[in-house]
Structures are given as C-alpha cells and as structure tokens.
Amino acid sequence: MDTIVYFYKKRGAEAPEAEPVGLKTYLLIRVGLDVGREEWFGKKLAAKGYPVGGSRAGEDRRRRGSGHSGEVGGSMGGTEAAEAGSRGRRAAAEGGCFGAEVGSEGRMENIEGSRVWGLLRPLRALRQRRKARAEVRREQELEAAREQERERLIAARAQILSEVEMSMGRLAAQIEEFAEGWKDCYFVYEDSVRKSLAAEASPARRGEAPPARRGEAEASPARHAEGGASPDRRGDVGAAEAILPLLWERHFQGKDFRGYAQRFWVEQLLPQAVQPHFVILGMAPCLFEVIEACARRMKSLRWILPEEDCDEELQGFVEDFCTEYGLAIMLEPFGSAAALKRLRLVCGQPVNVLDFTGEAYMAVSDVPKGSVWLDMFSVEEKRRRIAARGGGILYVSLKEKWKTVQKRCVCPIVP
C-alpha cells in the first residue's frame, strides 16, 4: 500500500503531529507544521544581530588605542616637554641679554611665566596619557562583554537546534510507525512549507512539470507514485540560512511524489467532473483510457494540446473514438508555452477542465460559472488565481483533497 505524507501549513500549532487517514486504496498521513524561514514552531534558528567577527574588530580597535596612547605618552609628551624647556631657556637668555633695556620688574615676570609654562606642559601630556589608557581599558571591558554575549548566543542557539532536531526525530519515528517503513512512502509539500524546509527543486522534481510524452516508459506501475532524489544541499550546517533544510533532510530523506499524471491518481479526481462538457488541457500517457472511461457521459470534448503531440497515433484514436461513441473530438494545438498562457477558454456552458499542463499563469477569467477545474498537478498559484476571480468555479486538486478529506474509520489502515 502506498503512503502519501502531506506536509501543510498550520499556523498556531504547538508541535508537529502526524494524522493518519485511511482511504482504503492508499494511506494518507497529514502533518500540520507551523514553520517559516529558519523558524520551527516559534523557535528562531538564526538569532538577529548575531555578532560576526567581533573579536577581530575588537583587537583592531585595541591596537589603534594602544598606538594612540603610545603616541600621546611618548612622541607628543616628549616633544611638548622639550619645547617647554627650550622656551624657558630662550626666555632666560633673552632676559640676560636685554636686561639693560628692560626693567627688573619685566624681567622677573618673563622668567616666572616661562617657569609656569614649563611646569604645565608635562602635566597636560600626563593627563592625555591617562585618558588614552582609560579609553583602552573601557574598550577591553566592552569587548569582554561582547564576547560573553556571543558565547551566550551560541549556547542558546545550540540548545534551540537540539530541541528542533529532537522534535523532527519524534515526528519521523511517528510517521515511520504509521507507514510501516519508508519503502512506499512519498512526500508532498504545500508550497509555503517547501520553501521553509526543502532545498530548491526543479519543477520536474516537485511533480509539477508537464507529464511525460506518450510512449515513454513509466518507472513504476500505474497506481504507484514515482520517487525522486532527496533535496539538494544548499550549504553546510554553519550557514544560518541553510540550517533548517539540513536538519529536515537528516530525518526525512523519502521520495517526493511525482505520480500526478498516472491513471490511478487521475481517477481520484474524476468523480468531481459533474458537467457533460469536457475540456482537456495538455497531454498525459493515461489520457486515452481516461477519455474512454468518461465517454458515456460526454456531450462534447475539446482537447487543447501541444503541436508535437498531434501525431498519427492521436489522429487514429480520434477517428476510432468518433466511430465507437459517435462523438467528434475538437483538437486545438498550441505551439508554445506563451501561446498556452494567452489561451482564452471561452465556453458557452459550464465545463469540466482536465488540466495536465502544470502551467500556473493561465487566463481563467473566461471560464463560465459552474465549471469544475481539475488541476491534475496541484499548482497552488493556479488555485489562488481561480479563487481571486471571486467564485463560480470549483477548483479540485489532490492537494486540496488531501488537506480536507476526513477519516473513514477509527482504524487508519483499511484492509
């Protein structure tokens, strides 16, 4: 039995908890997570204002401070003292040479002034040296305080990382117990959760790429989901922006679900197609069988697909289908992805749209009210665009079904 583990955003949750839902043909495990960028249930893994390179910067400042102090105490102080002594000697000499021209009172004032200046200059230099040493001591005290705060932040962050990893370990053990191992277990992420927990992945790995062309061999039986590689690493544990994805990868190395276009999973959504008029967008290997399964309740079928898929095999199927069921299929090829985005689904009556394109940015405004849009690749941006229209179109996808489906019995696994 396949197991789908669906991780979705659940704001306000206090801890992760796996909820098994028995759907008879496969097991669904829903896991609500309150996560964000480097945040796990309110725990911040990367502290704001975390000091980087503080010791080196402090050392540079200490060096500048000590150099300034030496300059003041050595060069500046010695120079000023020498200048003061020189001025005193020069004043004394001038007083001796020109004593006849000046009175005794003026000569004494000159000598006293020189002595005062000679005493004040060394005292001023001494105060400057003391001030410089005090600045160095204050800088050293500030650096010691910063180092203590840095060590406190490191210890607090290590404690948070340990708690987060323990929480992930408990969740992984709980899921493994419900799924009875990881062999047939496949992961599906809501977009917001994927951005927080998983490394960036290509559209093909997410399962949102256009389906394989007809004739390509499938890697697993029709009712089994395909698996992908584990998320790519984006950096080492020391990089704050990559901590949460790396911790997640240590415990959850399962395969991403990529079986959206397989017949088994397409048939999970077909009961929602209640309108007699059908529009098919894109191509999938199982579409011939799906069309035949819905043929008895079809009144019209419009098929919009890439030009490269309009080959002899398709033309033969269209002719045989018209002969067998008496219904002509209207084929509308498009040449490029840009042409698909510009496509206008103008219909006179409500229709079932079977969307196999995986294209997020399509025009949906022309679809009549009462229509049903079956998004086979569960592109969340398309769901938002349809919801923004203001109602009138029923949006159906596997992600929406997995998020809202209710338990069918007390025991989650039904034999």
Side-chain angles (χ1 to χ4, degrees), residues 300-380:
S300 67
L301 174 56
R302 179 184 174 191
W303 194 348
I304 304 171
L305 72 167
E307 288 181 349
E308 58 265 27
D309 287 323
C310 294
D311 51 17
E312 294 182 2
E313 184 181 1
L314 177 65
Q315 294 295 338
F317 171 78
V318 170
E319 293 176 2
D320 294 342
F321 184 83
C322 182
T323 302
E324 180 71 21
Y325 298 100
L327 180 64
I329 300 176
M330 183 185 302
L331 295 179
E332 297 182 20
F334 62 85
S336 63
L340 178 63
K341 292 180 182 180
R342 294 193 300 266
L343 179 68
R344 298 290 179 180
L345 295 178
V346 180
C347 306
Q349 304 179 58
V351 296
N352 303 311
V353 180
L354 277 61
D355 185 358
F356 290 88
T357 63
E359 174 59 53
Y361 301 97
M362 289 184 61
V364 300
S365 58
D366 294 327
V367 180
K369 291 186 177 180
S371 297
V372 181
W373 195 298
L374 280 69
D375 185 11
M376 299 303 177
F377 285 94
S378 298
V379 181
E380 294 181 35

Side-chain angles (χ1 to χ4, degrees), residues 190-265:
E190 194 174 81
D191 285 353
S192 59
V193 175
R194 173 177 289 281
K195 290 177 182 178
S196 302
L197 295 181
E200 287 297 326
S202 64
R205 184 184 174 280
R206 292 197 302 266
E208 298 172 1
R213 304 299 180 194
R214 292 194 320 279
E216 294 184 2
E218 297 186 13
S220 58
R223 66 171 300 271
H224 285 272
E226 296 180 2
S230 59
D232 299 330
R233 292 182 177 271
R234 293 188 298 169
D236 54 74
V237 176
E241 66 275 9
I243 286 290
L244 192 58
L246 288 178
L247 292 179
W248 182 260
E249 186 180 0
R250 289 179 183 175
H251 298 279
F252 299 90
Q253 297 185 359
K255 302 175 286 289
D256 278 6
F257 176 73
R258 295 196 297 172
Y260 291 99
Q262 295 171 0
R263 182 179 178 183
F264 173 79
W265 300 105

Side-chain angles (χ1 to χ4, degrees), residues 40 163-175 251-252:
W40 175 266
E163 293 175 358
V164 170
E165 191 159 12
M166 291 177 60
S167 177
M168 289 183 180
R170 289 192 296 267
L171 177 61
Q174 192 177 17
I175 293 175
H251 298 279
F252 299 90

Side-chain angles (χ1 to χ4, degrees), residues 90-113:
R90 188 164 55 249
E94 291 175 354
C97 294
F98 303 98
E101 299 179 5
V102 296
S104 59
E105 184 178 351
R107 185 167 58 250
M108 292 301 296
E109 289 179 357
N110 191 15
I111 294 173
E112 289 297 329

